[in-house]
Amino acid sequence: MPKAKTAPTLEDVAKLAGVSTATVSRCLNSPNLVVQATRDRVQSAVDALGYTPNFAARVMAARRSHTIGAIIPTMENAIFARGLQAFQEELRQHGYTLLVSSSAYQPEIEEEQIRNLVARGADGLLLIGHDRDSRIYDYLAKRRIPVLIAWSFQADAPVPSVGFDNRAAMAELANQVIKLGHRTLGMISGVSTGNDRARLRIEGVQEAMRRNNIPNDRLTIVETPYEIENGAEAFSRLMSRQDRPTAVLCGNDVLAIGASRRAKEMGLRVPQDVSVTGFDDIELAQITDPGLTTVHVPHREMGRRAALELVGLIEKPTESCNVQLRTNLVERQSLGRPG
């Protein structure tokens, strides 16, 4: 039987290119230190041989994998896709590779994924939101794994974050709803247990009501997973009440699109019969009919800044910085005065 071919080595590339193994290593790891002509010869040899660097050996030598893990709650929500794309693009500029996992909003799955990524040598982790058991942060601290939180900003949190003030952003939107004359409100929220983004957005609506002297019992909250159909069903529940709301504030645009669709199915006009608002300003918010009043979140900027800050935490561990990004209210046709 013919012998199985062995994988090409660094020495094979050096021999074919007519350079030392140290030069090949510099070309692959620090190309800016090598003249273009030499880089071209080495790259031609790499291509001809089909050489792939030994990742495990590089990790052992550098004590760094140049891999960053990100664990997001779901891959079904466009807001995370947009932010992670920018996150990955910026990481690539700094020589890092991104590994992404989804926890399905399950704390036990997230913890399992955190431990798996650490075991695989991730240099740092990006996590979404602050709400998780403190022993997870203790676990990461003991292993000196830098961690950064995104999509939520808390200046006094034990780990740094690049995000925005969910409570203040929703309070601004709710204040505008109340300013237009709405006094009986409904809210379709994501499940708030273990989700500080959802919890803080609920608190934002409640804060706006207090500021405007509206009693708590004028707000009805339905918590449900972030899916269009769930938003539709929650809207039906709200509108079946005797004191049904004149405005329904949703925890994100996905829920709001479901609510608007169900309103049409029920023969209700938006905003003439009921106003509907969202949060995030995904692309669908602009093209749905009527256009969705929402809160614009700078997802791409958040992803880019998160990458910069996390790389900084890895390469300069003594430096730590919180970054608060601004959101802004986007008024479209789905919000009007009560009929």
Side-chain angles (χ1 to χ4, degrees):
M1 294 180 65
K3 290 184 178 180
K5 291 183 178 180
T6 59
T9 65
L10 191 74
E11 290 76 11
D12 295 332
V13 175
K15 183 177 180 180
L16 183 58
V19 299
S20 68
T21 55
T23 297
V24 174
S25 181
R26 280 195 295 272
C27 285
L28 297 176
N29 299 312
S30 303
N32 57 304
L33 300 179
V34 186
V35 298
Q36 184 65 50
T38 302
R39 294 206 307 265
D40 292 342
R41 279 165 42 211
V42 169
Q43 188 59 51
S44 294
V46 167
D47 294 340
L49 294 171
Y51 172 73
T52 301
N54 187 323
F55 179 74
R58 287 176 62 185
V59 171
M60 290 180 65
R63 295 186 179 181
R64 185 179 294 171
S65 67
H66 283 87
T67 298
I68 286 177
I71 303 174
I72 60 176
T74 177
M75 294 186 182
E76 295 181 344
N77 194 326
I79 66 166
F80 297 118
R82 185 178 297 179
L84 279 181
Q85 181 65 35
F87 183 69
Q88 178 175 267
E89 290 168 1
E90 188 64 35
L91 286 181
R92 183 174 178 274
Q93 298 299 315
H94 298 271
Y96 287 83
T97 298
L98 175 63
L99 295 178
V100 182
S101 296
S102 171
S103 67
Y105 288 96
Q106 300 299 315
E108 65 277 8
I109 294 178
E110 185 193 58
E111 180 176 353
E112 176 185 302
Q113 292 169 338
I114 288 172
R115 293 180 182 275
N116 285 339
L117 286 168
V118 170
R120 283 162 173 75
D123 292 330
L125 295 178
L126 180 77
L127 303 177
I128 309 302
H130 291 272
D131 282 5
R132 57 185 52 83
D133 197 301
S134 60
R135 61 187 174 78
I136 295 176
Y137 293 122
D138 293 338
Y139 165 82
L140 292 170
K142 287 177 181 177
R143 284 154 183 79
R144 298 183 180 178
I145 305 296
V147 59
L148 183 75
I149 303 302
W151 270 271
S152 183
F153 175 83
Q154 292 184 29
D156 57 351
V159 294
S161 59
V162 173
F164 56 95
D165 189 329
N166 283 269
R167 182 192 289 110
M170 184 58 94
E172 180 184 7
L173 173 59
N175 191 64
Q176 180 62 17
V177 170
I178 294 168
K179 182 180 176 181
L180 289 173
H182 296 278
R183 293 295 181 271
T184 304
L185 307 179
M187 183 170 187
I188 304 175
S189 169
V191 178
S192 61
T193 302
N195 183 337
D196 58 339
R197 288 91 59 215
R199 172 174 52 79
L200 290 168
R201 292 174 197 180
I202 291 173
E203 292 177 7
V205 175
Q206 294 170 331
E207 178 182 318
M209 293 177 65
R210 283 194 299 273
R211 286 185 199 161
N212 290 276
N213 299 313
I214 300 176
N216 285 336
D217 61 7
R218 305 307 296 169
L219 172 66
T220 303
I221 302 170
V222 177
E223 295 191 9
T224 188
Y226 293 120
E227 294 180 12
I228 289 177
E229 187 56 35
N230 291 340
E233 291 302 317
F235 181 83
S236 294
R237 288 174 57 186
L238 288 172
M239 302 312 288
S240 67
R241 295 176 57 88
Q242 185 173 3
D243 56 341
R244 68 187 196 180
T246 61
V248 176
L249 296 89
C250 298
N252 73 0
D253 292 343
V254 172
L255 294 174
I257 289 167
S260 295
R261 188 184 71 182
R262 182 55 53 87
K264 289 183 179 180
E265 293 170 354
M266 296 173 66
L268 296 172
R269 299 168 302 164
V270 177
Q272 293 89 341
D273 299 319
V274 59
S275 289
V276 176
T277 67
F279 197 108
D280 286 323
D281 197 24
I282 62 175
E283 291 182 356
L284 284 176
Q286 304 174 35
I287 63 175
T288 189
D289 184 24
L292 188 63
T293 291
T294 186
V295 172
H296 176 77
V297 174
H299 295 113
R300 285 194 58 84
E301 176 64 9
M302 183 163 48
R304 188 186 71 81
R305 290 296 300 273
L308 286 172
E309 295 303 324
L310 188 48
V311 168
L313 288 172
I314 293 167
E315 299 184 352
K316 299 177 181 178
T318 57
E319 297 183 9
S320 177
C321 182
N322 282 321
V323 178
Q324 182 175 8
L325 301 175
R326 292 178 59 85
T327 60
N328 61 281
L329 177 61
V330 179
E331 293 193 60
R332 299 192 179 99
Q333 298 77 34
S334 70
L335 174 62
R337 296 186 179 277

mmCIF file of all heavy atoms in Angstrom, residues 114-150:
data_model
loop_
_atom_site.group_PDB
_atom_site.id
_atom_site.type_symbol
_atom_site.label_atom_id
_atom_site.label_comp_id
_atom_site.label_asym_id
_atom_site.label_seq_id
_atom_site.Cartn_x
_atom_site.Cartn_y
_atom_site.Cartn_z
ATOM 1 N N ILE A 114 -18.715 28.870 28.219
ATOM 2 C CA ILE A 114 -17.595 29.641 28.768
ATOM 3 C C ILE A 114 -16.444 28.703 29.126
ATOM 4 O O ILE A 114 -15.282 28.936 28.761
ATOM 5 C CB ILE A 114 -18.044 30.448 30.004
ATOM 6 C CG1 ILE A 114 -18.931 31.625 29.569
ATOM 7 C CG2 ILE A 114 -16.830 30.958 30.789
ATOM 8 C CD1 ILE A 114 -19.582 32.364 30.726
ATOM 9 N N ARG A 115 -16.753 27.630 29.832
ATOM 10 C CA ARG A 115 -15.711 26.685 30.253
ATOM 11 C C ARG A 115 -15.067 25.996 29.045
ATOM 12 O O ARG A 115 -13.854 25.761 29.028
ATOM 13 C CB ARG A 115 -16.303 25.652 31.217
ATOM 14 C CG ARG A 115 -16.733 26.270 32.557
ATOM 15 C CD ARG A 115 -17.325 25.234 33.496
ATOM 16 N NE ARG A 115 -17.764 25.838 34.739
ATOM 17 C CZ ARG A 115 -16.983 26.061 35.797
ATOM 18 N NH1 ARG A 115 -15.705 25.710 35.741
ATOM 19 N NH2 ARG A 115 -17.461 26.619 36.890
ATOM 20 N N ASN A 116 -15.860 25.675 28.037
ATOM 21 C CA ASN A 116 -15.318 25.038 26.833
ATOM 22 C C ASN A 116 -14.374 25.972 26.084
ATOM 23 O O ASN A 116 -13.312 25.557 25.608
ATOM 24 C CB ASN A 116 -16.452 24.600 25.908
ATOM 25 C CG ASN A 116 -17.168 23.362 26.414
ATOM 26 O OD1 ASN A 116 -16.617 22.597 27.223
ATOM 27 N ND2 ASN A 116 -18.394 23.143 25.970
ATOM 28 N N LEU A 117 -14.753 27.241 25.967
ATOM 29 C CA LEU A 117 -13.906 28.203 25.264
ATOM 30 C C LEU A 117 -12.598 28.442 26.023
ATOM 31 O O LEU A 117 -11.534 28.558 25.414
ATOM 32 C CB LEU A 117 -14.658 29.518 25.060
ATOM 33 C CG LEU A 117 -15.742 29.494 23.979
ATOM 34 C CD1 LEU A 117 -16.619 30.743 24.065
ATOM 35 C CD2 LEU A 117 -15.118 29.386 22.590
ATOM 36 N N VAL A 118 -12.693 28.504 27.346
ATOM 37 C CA VAL A 118 -11.482 28.658 28.150
ATOM 38 C C VAL A 118 -10.581 27.436 27.986
ATOM 39 O O VAL A 118 -9.357 27.552 27.819
ATOM 40 C CB VAL A 118 -11.844 28.875 29.636
ATOM 41 C CG1 VAL A 118 -10.592 28.796 30.516
ATOM 42 C CG2 VAL A 118 -12.529 30.221 29.827
ATOM 43 N N ALA A 119 -11.173 26.235 27.999
ATOM 44 C CA ALA A 119 -10.405 25.002 27.834
ATOM 45 C C ALA A 119 -9.717 24.937 26.479
ATOM 46 O O ALA A 119 -8.642 24.327 26.345
ATOM 47 C CB ALA A 119 -11.319 23.792 28.013
ATOM 48 N N ARG A 120 -10.303 25.572 25.476
ATOM 49 C CA ARG A 120 -9.728 25.575 24.131
ATOM 50 C C ARG A 120 -8.740 26.717 23.914
ATOM 51 O O ARG A 120 -8.285 26.945 22.797
ATOM 52 C CB ARG A 120 -10.847 25.617 23.093
ATOM 53 C CG ARG A 120 -11.526 24.264 22.915
ATOM 54 C CD ARG A 120 -12.877 24.375 22.233
ATOM 55 N NE ARG A 120 -13.440 23.072 21.932
ATOM 56 C CZ ARG A 120 -13.976 22.250 22.833
ATOM 57 N NH1 ARG A 120 -13.996 22.609 24.103
ATOM 58 N NH2 ARG A 120 -14.471 21.076 22.482
ATOM 59 N N GLY A 121 -8.453 27.445 24.988
ATOM 60 C CA GLY A 121 -7.388 28.433 24.916
ATOM 61 C C GLY A 121 -7.796 29.815 24.472
ATOM 62 O O GLY A 121 -6.945 30.596 24.026
ATOM 63 N N ALA A 122 -9.077 30.170 24.573
ATOM 64 C CA ALA A 122 -9.508 31.520 24.192
ATOM 65 C C ALA A 122 -8.752 32.553 25.022
ATOM 66 O O ALA A 122 -8.617 32.423 26.240
ATOM 67 C CB ALA A 122 -11.007 31.680 24.383
ATOM 68 N N ASP A 123 -8.243 33.580 24.355
ATOM 69 C CA ASP A 123 -7.498 34.631 25.050
ATOM 70 C C ASP A 123 -8.413 35.589 25.793
ATOM 71 O O ASP A 123 -7.979 36.285 26.713
ATOM 72 C CB ASP A 123 -6.670 35.436 24.043
ATOM 73 C CG ASP A 123 -5.535 34.625 23.441
ATOM 74 O OD1 ASP A 123 -5.023 33.730 24.137
ATOM 75 O OD2 ASP A 123 -5.177 34.877 22.282
ATOM 76 N N GLY A 124 -9.660 35.685 25.389
ATOM 77 C CA GLY A 124 -10.610 36.589 26.022
ATOM 78 C C GLY A 124 -12.020 36.221 25.595
ATOM 79 O O GLY A 124 -12.218 35.470 24.640
ATOM 80 N N LEU A 125 -13.000 36.762 26.319
ATOM 81 C CA LEU A 125 -14.394 36.444 26.046
ATOM 82 C C LEU A 125 -15.238 37.711 25.955
ATOM 83 O O LEU A 125 -15.059 38.649 26.741
ATOM 84 C CB LEU A 125 -14.986 35.558 27.149
ATOM 85 C CG LEU A 125 -14.417 34.154 27.314
ATOM 86 C CD1 LEU A 125 -15.109 33.453 28.486
ATOM 87 C CD2 LEU A 125 -14.573 33.333 26.038
ATOM 88 N N LEU A 126 -16.164 37.698 25.008
ATOM 89 C CA LEU A 126 -17.202 38.719 24.924
ATOM 90 C C LEU A 126 -18.507 38.086 25.362
ATOM 91 O O LEU A 126 -18.922 37.062 24.806
ATOM 92 C CB LEU A 126 -17.347 39.238 23.485
ATOM 93 C CG LEU A 126 -18.428 40.314 23.306
ATOM 94 C CD1 LEU A 126 -17.925 41.661 23.810
ATOM 95 C CD2 LEU A 126 -18.841 40.430 21.832
ATOM 96 N N LEU A 127 -19.159 38.678 26.368
ATOM 97 C CA LEU A 127 -20.434 38.185 26.872
ATOM 98 C C LEU A 127 -21.483 39.280 26.732
ATOM 99 O O LEU A 127 -21.150 40.473 26.703
ATOM 100 C CB LEU A 127 -20.308 37.749 28.330
ATOM 101 C CG LEU A 127 -19.246 36.682 28.626
ATOM 102 C CD1 LEU A 127 -19.184 36.398 30.125
ATOM 103 C CD2 LEU A 127 -19.527 35.399 27.849
ATOM 104 N N ILE A 128 -22.735 38.883 26.666
ATOM 105 C CA ILE A 128 -23.826 39.836 26.484
ATOM 106 C C ILE A 128 -24.559 40.049 27.800
ATOM 107 O O ILE A 128 -25.128 39.117 28.367
ATOM 108 C CB ILE A 128 -24.827 39.331 25.409
ATOM 109 C CG1 ILE A 128 -24.096 38.938 24.132
ATOM 110 C CG2 ILE A 128 -25.885 40.397 25.147
ATOM 111 C CD1 ILE A 128 -23.275 40.041 23.496
ATOM 112 N N GLY A 129 -24.527 41.280 28.290
ATOM 113 C CA GLY A 129 -25.229 41.604 29.529
ATOM 114 C C GLY A 129 -24.456 41.175 30.763
ATOM 115 O O GLY A 129 -23.575 40.311 30.721
ATOM 116 N N HIS A 130 -24.817 41.771 31.901
ATOM 117 C CA HIS A 130 -24.099 41.547 33.158
ATOM 118 C C HIS A 130 -24.713 40.458 34.023
ATOM 119 O O HIS A 130 -24.032 39.938 34.915
ATOM 120 C CB HIS A 130 -24.070 42.848 33.976
ATOM 121 C CG HIS A 130 -23.219 43.919 33.371
ATOM 122 N ND1 HIS A 130 -21.874 44.039 33.633
ATOM 123 C CD2 HIS A 130 -23.519 44.920 32.509
ATOM 124 C CE1 HIS A 130 -21.377 45.061 32.968
ATOM 125 N NE2 HIS A 130 -22.355 45.622 32.283
ATOM 126 N N ASP A 131 -25.970 40.103 33.832
ATOM 127 C CA ASP A 131 -26.665 39.218 34.761
ATOM 128 C C ASP A 131 -26.221 37.767 34.612
ATOM 129 O O ASP A 131 -26.622 37.071 33.668
ATOM 130 C CB ASP A 131 -28.189 39.305 34.542
ATOM 131 C CG ASP A 131 -28.781 40.545 35.169
ATOM 132 O OD1 ASP A 131 -28.017 41.371 35.687
ATOM 133 O OD2 ASP A 131 -30.023 40.693 35.136
ATOM 134 N N ARG A 132 -25.383 37.309 35.526
ATOM 135 C CA ARG A 132 -25.003 35.899 35.615
ATOM 136 C C ARG A 132 -24.413 35.652 36.999
ATOM 137 O O ARG A 132 -24.066 36.594 37.716
ATOM 138 C CB ARG A 132 -24.012 35.494 34.509
ATOM 139 C CG ARG A 132 -22.735 36.302 34.465
ATOM 140 C CD ARG A 132 -21.871 35.924 33.273
ATOM 141 N NE ARG A 132 -22.614 35.954 32.017
ATOM 142 C CZ ARG A 132 -22.832 37.071 31.309
ATOM 143 N NH1 ARG A 132 -22.384 38.234 31.750
ATOM 144 N NH2 ARG A 132 -23.501 37.028 30.193
ATOM 145 N N ASP A 133 -24.311 34.404 37.371
ATOM 146 C CA ASP A 133 -23.811 34.044 38.690
ATOM 147 C C ASP A 133 -22.390 34.581 38.887
ATOM 148 O O ASP A 133 -21.541 34.457 38.001
ATOM 149 C CB ASP A 133 -23.815 32.514 38.836
ATOM 150 C CG ASP A 133 -23.720 32.073 40.281
ATOM 151 O OD1 ASP A 133 -22.715 32.448 40.937
ATOM 152 O OD2 ASP A 133 -24.618 31.357 40.750
ATOM 153 N N SER A 134 -22.121 35.144 40.068
ATOM 154 C CA SER A 134 -20.817 35.751 40.339
ATOM 155 C C SER A 134 -19.683 34.726 40.296
ATOM 156 O O SER A 134 -18.529 35.085 40.024
ATOM 157 C CB SER A 134 -20.828 36.435 41.705
ATOM 158 O OG SER A 134 -21.104 35.502 42.740
ATOM 159 N N ARG A 135 -20.004 33.460 40.522
ATOM 160 C CA ARG A 135 -18.931 32.457 40.512
ATOM 161 C C ARG A 135 -18.349 32.280 39.113
ATOM 162 O O ARG A 135 -17.193 31.836 38.972
ATOM 163 C CB ARG A 135 -19.441 31.116 41.051
ATOM 164 C CG ARG A 135 -20.551 30.493 40.267
ATOM 165 C CD ARG A 135 -21.112 29.256 40.963
ATOM 166 N NE ARG A 135 -22.268 28.739 40.259
ATOM 167 C CZ ARG A 135 -22.206 28.019 39.150
ATOM 168 N NH1 ARG A 135 -21.030 27.713 38.634
ATOM 169 N NH2 ARG A 135 -23.299 27.585 38.567
ATOM 170 N N ILE A 136 -19.113 32.654 38.078
ATOM 171 C CA ILE A 136 -18.569 32.585 36.719
ATOM 172 C C ILE A 136 -17.488 33.641 36.546
ATOM 173 O O ILE A 136 -16.419 33.376 35.989
ATOM 174 C CB ILE A 136 -19.684 32.768 35.676
ATOM 175 C CG1 ILE A 136 -20.660 31.600 35.763
ATOM 176 C CG2 ILE A 136 -19.109 32.883 34.268
ATOM 177 C CD1 ILE A 136 -21.851 31.721 34.854
ATOM 178 N N TYR A 137 -17.749 34.836 37.052
ATOM 179 C CA TYR A 137 -16.731 35.885 36.998
ATOM 180 C C TYR A 137 -15.509 35.499 37.843
ATOM 181 O O TYR A 137 -14.373 35.779 37.458
ATOM 182 C CB TYR A 137 -17.309 37.215 37.478
ATOM 183 C CG TYR A 137 -18.369 37.787 36.568
ATOM 184 C CD1 TYR A 137 -19.650 38.071 37.032
ATOM 185 C CD2 TYR A 137 -18.091 38.049 35.224
ATOM 186 C CE1 TYR A 137 -20.616 38.610 36.196
ATOM 187 C CE2 TYR A 137 -19.054 38.577 34.379
ATOM 188 C CZ TYR A 137 -20.323 38.857 34.874
ATOM 189 O OH TYR A 137 -21.278 39.376 34.038
ATOM 190 N N ASP A 138 -15.749 34.831 38.980
ATOM 191 C CA ASP A 138 -14.641 34.372 39.818
ATOM 192 C C ASP A 138 -13.804 33.337 39.065
ATOM 193 O O ASP A 138 -12.566 33.362 39.124
ATOM 194 C CB ASP A 138 -15.168 33.761 41.119
ATOM 195 C CG ASP A 138 -15.830 34.787 42.023
ATOM 196 O OD1 ASP A 138 -15.532 35.987 41.864
ATOM 197 O OD2 ASP A 138 -16.642 34.389 42.880
ATOM 198 N N TYR A 139 -14.477 32.447 38.364
ATOM 199 C CA TYR A 139 -13.802 31.409 37.577
ATOM 200 C C TYR A 139 -12.892 32.036 36.527
ATOM 201 O O TYR A 139 -11.726 31.645 36.362
ATOM 202 C CB TYR A 139 -14.862 30.517 36.920
ATOM 203 C CG TYR A 139 -14.350 29.624 35.815
ATOM 204 C CD1 TYR A 139 -13.727 28.409 36.104
ATOM 205 C CD2 TYR A 139 -14.510 29.983 34.472
ATOM 206 C CE1 TYR A 139 -13.265 27.583 35.093
ATOM 207 C CE2 TYR A 139 -14.055 29.167 33.463
ATOM 208 C CZ TYR A 139 -13.428 27.970 33.770
ATOM 209 O OH TYR A 139 -12.975 27.160 32.756
ATOM 210 N N LEU A 140 -13.400 33.044 35.821
ATOM 211 C CA LEU A 140 -12.619 33.704 34.776
ATOM 212 C C LEU A 140 -11.470 34.515 35.372
ATOM 213 O O LEU A 140 -10.365 34.551 34.819
ATOM 214 C CB LEU A 140 -13.529 34.596 33.940
ATOM 215 C CG LEU A 140 -14.565 33.854 33.084
ATOM 216 C CD1 LEU A 140 -15.573 34.840 32.490
ATOM 217 C CD2 LEU A 140 -13.882 33.061 31.979
ATOM 218 N N ALA A 141 -11.726 35.158 36.511
ATOM 219 C CA ALA A 141 -10.682 35.961 37.155
ATOM 220 C C ALA A 141 -9.520 35.090 37.632
ATOM 221 O O ALA A 141 -8.345 35.451 37.467
ATOM 222 C CB ALA A 141 -11.268 36.745 38.330
ATOM 223 N N LYS A 142 -9.832 33.928 38.190
ATOM 224 C CA LYS A 142 -8.783 33.026 38.673
ATOM 225 C C LYS A 142 -7.909 32.531 37.524
ATOM 226 O O LYS A 142 -6.714 32.266 37.715
ATOM 227 C CB LYS A 142 -9.410 31.840 39.401
ATOM 228 C CG LYS A 142 -9.983 32.192 40.768
ATOM 229 C CD LYS A 142 -10.658 30.989 41.410
ATOM 230 C CE LYS A 142 -11.255 31.363 42.767
ATOM 231 N NZ LYS A 142 -11.985 30.208 43.370
ATOM 232 N N ARG A 143 -8.501 32.412 36.353
ATOM 233 C CA ARG A 143 -7.740 31.944 35.187
ATOM 234 C C ARG A 143 -7.188 33.101 34.355
ATOM 235 O O ARG A 143 -6.619 32.887 33.298
ATOM 236 C CB ARG A 143 -8.632 31.042 34.335
ATOM 237 C CG ARG A 143 -8.791 29.663 34.980
ATOM 238 C CD ARG A 143 -10.077 28.971 34.593
ATOM 239 N NE ARG A 143 -10.174 27.705 35.317
ATOM 240 C CZ ARG A 143 -10.566 27.620 36.599
ATOM 241 N NH1 ARG A 143 -10.873 28.718 37.269
ATOM 242 N NH2 ARG A 143 -10.631 26.448 37.197
ATOM 243 N N ARG A 144 -7.402 34.304 34.856
ATOM 244 C CA ARG A 144 -6.896 35.520 34.212
ATOM 245 C C ARG A 144 -7.353 35.615 32.749
ATOM 246 O O ARG A 144 -6.574 35.972 31.864
ATOM 247 C CB ARG A 144 -5.370 35.572 34.312
ATOM 248 C CG ARG A 144 -4.879 35.634 35.761
ATOM 249 C CD ARG A 144 -3.380 35.750 35.831
ATOM 250 N NE ARG A 144 -2.921 35.819 37.229
ATOM 251 C CZ ARG A 144 -1.659 35.893 37.592
ATOM 252 N NH1 ARG A 144 -0.702 35.918 36.677
ATOM 253 N NH2 ARG A 144 -1.338 35.947 38.875
ATOM 254 N N ILE A 145 -8.613 35.310 32.537
ATOM 255 C CA ILE A 145 -9.204 35.428 31.209
ATOM 256 C C ILE A 145 -9.925 36.767 31.129
ATOM 257 O O ILE A 145 -10.920 36.978 31.827
ATOM 258 C CB ILE A 145 -10.203 34.285 30.918
ATOM 259 C CG1 ILE A 145 -9.540 32.927 31.104
ATOM 260 C CG2 ILE A 145 -10.768 34.428 29.508
ATOM 261 C CD1 ILE A 145 -8.421 32.643 30.142
ATOM 262 N N PRO A 146 -9.463 37.690 30.309
ATOM 263 C CA PRO A 146 -10.163 38.971 30.170
ATOM 264 C C PRO A 146 -11.573 38.761 29.639
ATOM 265 O O PRO A 146 -11.796 37.952 28.729
ATOM 266 C CB PRO A 146 -9.302 39.736 29.160
ATOM 267 C CG PRO A 146 -7.957 39.092 29.223
ATOM 268 C CD PRO A 146 -8.228 37.639 29.504
ATOM 269 N N VAL A 147 -12.524 39.476 30.206
ATOM 270 C CA VAL A 147 -13.916 39.377 29.762
ATOM 271 C C VAL A 147 -14.477 40.779 29.606
ATOM 272 O O VAL A 147 -14.183 41.682 30.403
ATOM 273 C CB VAL A 147 -14.761 38.538 30.754
ATOM 274 C CG1 VAL A 147 -14.729 39.144 32.152
ATOM 275 C CG2 VAL A 147 -16.199 38.392 30.270
ATOM 276 N N LEU A 148 -15.271 40.956 28.581
ATOM 277 C CA LEU A 148 -15.895 42.247 28.301
ATOM 278 C C LEU A 148 -17.381 42.019 28.070
ATOM 279 O O LEU A 148 -17.781 41.058 27.404
ATOM 280 C CB LEU A 148 -15.266 42.882 27.058
ATOM 281 C CG LEU A 148 -15.780 44.281 26.686
ATOM 282 C CD1 LEU A 148 -15.198 45.318 27.645
ATOM 283 C CD2 LEU A 148 -15.407 44.638 25.256
ATOM 284 N N ILE A 149 -18.196 42.929 28.598
ATOM 285 C CA ILE A 149 -19.648 42.856 28.434
ATOM 286 C C ILE A 149 -20.085 43.831 27.355
ATOM 287 O O ILE A 149 -19.597 44.961 27.296
ATOM 288 C CB ILE A 149 -20.370 43.200 29.758
ATOM 289 C CG1 ILE A 149 -19.903 42.267 30.879
ATOM 290 C CG2 ILE A 149 -21.877 43.125 29.574
ATOM 291 C CD1 ILE A 149 -20.114 40.803 30.634
ATOM 292 N N ALA A 150 -21.008 43.403 26.509
ATOM 293 C CA ALA A 150 -21.570 44.292 25.486
ATOM 294 C C ALA A 150 -23.086 44.309 25.597
ATOM 295 O O ALA A 150 -23.694 43.493 26.273
ATOM 296 C CB ALA A 150 -21.146 43.843 24.088
#
